[in-house]
Amino acid sequence: MSEDRPPKVLCHPDGKKSCGACCGMYNHVEHGQSQTMQRLRRRTRAFHRNTSIDDEASLKAFRQRWEDDEKVKLMTGLPSCPFLGFVDGVEPSKTEQQGRARIVGCLVHPLQNDGVDGRDCGVYDRFICEDYLCAAHNILRTDEIRLVLDSIDDSYLYGLVITNPKFVRQLLELVARRTGAWPSKKVLSRPAVLEAAGRCFEQMREWPYRDNDGIFGPVGVTGAVETRRRDMPADVFDVDPDPVDMLLVCMGTACKSTEELYSARRRIDAEVDALAAAVKRAQP
Ligand code: SF4
Ligand code: SF4
């Protein structure tokens, strides 16, 4: 882990990855990595083909054509902005072919357009887009942010994890319980620890026990903009609670049976154990 203080704004932390969650990146019934990236790629190509940042009519026409219909959104009352795309080009790169995403971002941002701001044509306006910072900015500690930044290097997974601060906190709390102490910054910077943390985060990319709306983590969708806290699995199945249950909740888990629940618990527990072991080995 780098010794540098993490950036204050987490949306575009480095040149390798970025987050587009609050623009609506995951608010789609087809929110898997390949579907999401293909959608962004198609939009980006169409944007460059059909719009000019100086031509407001072209931006409005683009929005009309590319804004998601309510029926394909998970949370219908939450805007999903068609101007979210790739800001580092659209041609497949070697890393993308390997399943890694590229830099997602605002196609009408002034930094992308020689100072011309097209964000008023998006689903919010330039002031909301400029000022909004999600809860992760207030919740996550600098060592937690650094751990995420240094163990994930693609946009799809980064957006999922950085907007799920409870998962990150809970993971480190479980590790602290298993090792007897909260891991120091130095310990969290060790390559083996970063690798093990990366494997824990990696579980979120294609978590097989995820609910239909589980991409939003602990928040379940109940209406256009209404949400609910996801139930604890032990309550759902009337079984004894397990220390990893809160992680399962943060991963949007919905099991169909107690067998499936036990299997989900075992899977994430093994990753937490591996991280705790790596932390133990790294401790002085
Ligand atoms: S969800 Fe948070 S980190 Fe992601 S783009 Fe929005 S403000 Fe930035
Ligand atoms: S216009 Fe605003 S909501 Fe749309 S992509 Fe840009 S920053 Fe996101």
Side-chain angles (χ1 to χ4, degrees):
M1 180 161 63
S2 155
E3 293 294 318
D4 299 342
R5 281 188 73 76
K8 284 207 166 73
V9 176
L10 302 172
C11 317
H12 287 256
D14 53 38
K16 291 185 274 184
K17 56 189 173 279
S18 60
C19 173
C22 61
C23 304
M25 180 165 156
Y26 306 105
N27 188 19
H28 197 286
V29 289
E30 295 186 336
H31 46 257
Q33 174 166 338
S34 132
Q35 299 152 322
T36 303
M37 293 303 152
Q38 273 174 29
R39 192 161 52 246
L40 293 179
R41 199 174 307 130
R42 276 200 304 273
R43 268 192 213 159
T44 306
R45 288 206 178 100
F47 177 83
H48 290 305
R49 217 170 31 232
N50 301 324
T51 71
S52 163
I53 194 70
D54 300 311
D55 178 358
E56 196 177 304
S58 73
L59 298 180
K60 286 182 173 163
F62 181 86
R63 176 173 170 185
Q64 197 162 23
R65 161 70 182 81
W66 287 94
E67 188 170 355
D68 283 337
D69 193 88
E70 298 295 273
K71 61 178 182 283
V72 299
K73 289 194 214 165
L74 279 175
M75 203 175 284
T76 54
L78 200 67
S80 181
C81 190
F83 294 113
L84 183 73
F86 287 114
V87 292
D88 59 346
V90 288
E91 293 312 314
S93 69
K94 196 172 169 213
T95 47
E96 193 179 39
Q97 282 161 2
Q98 287 166 349
R100 299 296 183 194
R102 296 161 65 185
I103 309 284
V104 297
C106 178
L107 297 169
V108 288
H109 193 284
L111 287 176
Q112 297 297 325
N113 295 287
D114 298 324
V116 183
D117 196 335
R119 289 175 294 179
D120 287 337
C121 293
V123 295
Y124 300 112
D125 62 43
R126 69 179 68 190
F127 302 106
I128 293 175
C129 295
E130 188 70 32
D131 294 342
Y132 177 75
L133 289 177
C134 65
H137 290 82
N138 291 326
I139 296 173
L140 288 175
R141 301 152 28 130
T142 56
D143 56 342
E144 293 167 330
I145 294 172
R146 270 264 64 104
L147 184 71
V148 175
L149 291 181
D150 294 341
S151 59
I152 297 176
D153 64 2
D154 72 277
S155 296
Y156 182 80
L157 185 60
Y158 174 67
L160 285 183
V161 174
I162 202 68
T163 55
N164 200 334
K166 201 166 182 176
F167 178 86
V168 180
R169 175 72 45 83
Q170 184 64 21
L171 179 64
L172 285 182
E173 277 183 11
L174 287 173
V175 167
R177 264 185 245 159
R178 292 176 193 202
T179 59
W182 192 273
S184 68
K185 276 186 187 171
K186 198 166 180 185
V187 164
L188 289 177
S189 74
R190 299 290 187 217
V193 173
L194 289 176
E195 201 180 305
R199 282 199 302 272
C200 291
F201 296 139
E202 189 63 36
Q203 296 300 313
M204 292 178 74
R205 193 188 299 276
E206 290 181 359
W207 182 237
Y209 308 98
R210 190 155 61 203
D211 206 350
N212 290 342
D213 57 358
I215 199 79
F216 296 137
V219 176
V221 177
T222 56
V225 282
E226 294 81 32
T227 60
R228 66 176 170 90
R229 289 275 137 197
R230 206 167 284 285
D231 295 328
M232 292 297 282
D235 296 336
V236 176
F237 292 104
D238 197 19
V239 294
D240 288 339
D242 188 279
V244 297
D245 281 356
M246 185 48 79
L247 281 185
L248 296 184
V249 167
C250 291
M251 296 168 89
T253 304
C255 293
K256 295 182 194 69
S257 62
T258 46
E259 289 70 30
E260 210 173 271
L261 170 61
Y262 294 148
S263 155
R265 281 174 171 174
R266 275 195 302 275
R267 179 160 167 169
I268 195 65
D269 189 70
E271 298 299 345
V272 177
D273 249 355
L275 176 57
V279 164
K280 256 192 174 159
R281 282 194 298 274
Q283 276 166 345

